[in-house]
Amino acid sequence: VTGRVEIFRSLEALSGRAAALVARTVGEARWARGVARIALSGGRTPRRTYEILGARGELADPAVEIFFCDERCVPPTDERSNYRLVAATIGDAGNVRRIRGEDEPDAAAEAYEALLRERFGAGPPAFDLVLLGLGADGHTASLFPGAPEVAERRRWVVATREAHGGVRRVTLTLPVLDAARTKVLLAAGAAKAPAVADVLAGGASPAARLRGLRMLLDEAAAGRVRAPR
Ligand code: 6PG
């Protein structure tokens, strides 16, 4: 069941709104609890959002901890690395907690779960915000339709059994994503319209299993959906 849906004329407008939402949520969390913990995704869609956040500079603060929803099993210098994307756009002021993509995937997942347990204490870890993307097949983070990782209930972080684009991935699991206080999903482009429709209809895709998602869409991804004005 989705929360709010907002539709934008351009990726630029969507990105401005997403960056403002992240900054506001981080500010509110710091005010309420002294610290903000967010988890970010990779992919093409959030790049501009991250550039705007980097220019604003508010996330370069030890009281803001930046984690990842997922990572490809590549070194942090690889152009497919989500850490590399975030470091190049938002920047890493020593507050970015990366998944070690260069390590053996199952070991990297275990180590990241141990890090989350250390930072959050007893579970489930309540991120202040998770920023998610959406695949045309309905995947979110690295939870792909039909994969065993989607059914995981106990572990917080797992490695995918399958490789995607030649590399396995490490991903937060649905219970962790669902436990976040704010869940924002970005989708742009007509290729995403069927997956967006499935999420809005409460369908069977991994993304559709998350409750209370805030969706920021461009007009092409929204397809025939109309946001209430
Ligand atoms: C990643 C993601 C993944 C992504 C979608 C959409 O690191 O790739 O976490 O779930 O958000 O595949 O990717 P695009 O934004 O590139 O369409």
Side-chain angles (χ1 to χ4, degrees):
V1 182
T2 27
R4 256 170 89 184
V5 180
E6 293 173 73
I7 300 171
F8 300 87
R9 285 197 183 282
S10 64
L11 181 60
E12 184 63 23
L14 182 158
S15 303
R17 173 74 177 134
L21 186 56
V22 171
R24 197 187 71 206
T25 305
V26 162
E28 286 171 357
R30 290 194 54 189
W31 188 81
R33 288 177 291 282
V35 55
R37 297 193 177 103
I38 64 173
L40 302 178
S41 294
R44 283 156 299 154
T45 315
R47 172 176 279 276
R48 184 66 191 130
T49 299
Y50 298 164
E51 286 172 356
I52 297 168
L53 283 167
R56 291 175 65 128
E58 295 133 292
L59 303 189
D61 188 303
V64 180
E65 279 197 289
I66 300 176
F67 296 84
F68 289 86
C69 295
D70 68 337
E71 182 59 281
R72 289 126 211 227
C73 293
V74 295
T77 48
D78 190 289
E79 61 182 21
R80 294 167 291 179
S81 161
N82 289 349
Y83 171 79
R84 178 176 143 143
L85 169 68
V86 166
T89 50
I90 294 174
D92 182 358
N95 60 336
V96 181
R97 312 279 176 250
R98 73 180 183 89
I99 297 170
R100 292 180 53 88
E102 67 274 42
D103 291 352
E104 191 283 318
D106 294 299
E110 270 179 43
Y112 208 61
E113 178 160 328
L115 174 69
L116 295 186
R117 289 192 187 273
E118 179 203 306
R119 307 308 288 163
F120 285 98
F127 282 105
D128 294 300
L129 176 141
V130 289
L131 188 77
L132 294 160
L134 179 68
D137 61 357
H139 79 259
T140 193
S142 289
L143 297 167
F144 289 83
E149 297 83 44
V150 181
E152 180 62 46
R153 287 285 163 274
R154 194 177 53 83
R155 298 282 313 277
W156 294 0
V157 188
V158 294
T160 63
R161 195 169 64 185
E162 303 288 331
H164 300 275
V167 290
R168 289 174 69 194
R169 299 195 189 184
V170 171
T171 184
L172 302 187
T173 57
L174 278 178
V176 175
L177 296 175
D178 223 14
R181 296 189 171 94
T182 301
K183 291 161 254 186
V184 181
L185 185 140
L186 310 183
K192 306 291 176 69
V196 166
D198 181 72
V199 172
L200 291 171
S205 70
R209 310 260 299 264
L210 293 168
R211 291 161 299 168
L213 270 182
R214 291 188 64 154
M215 299 179 75
L216 307 190
L217 311 172
D218 74 354
E219 287 179 343
R224 293 164 61 186
V225 176
R226 292 281 171 270
R229 290 274 161 205

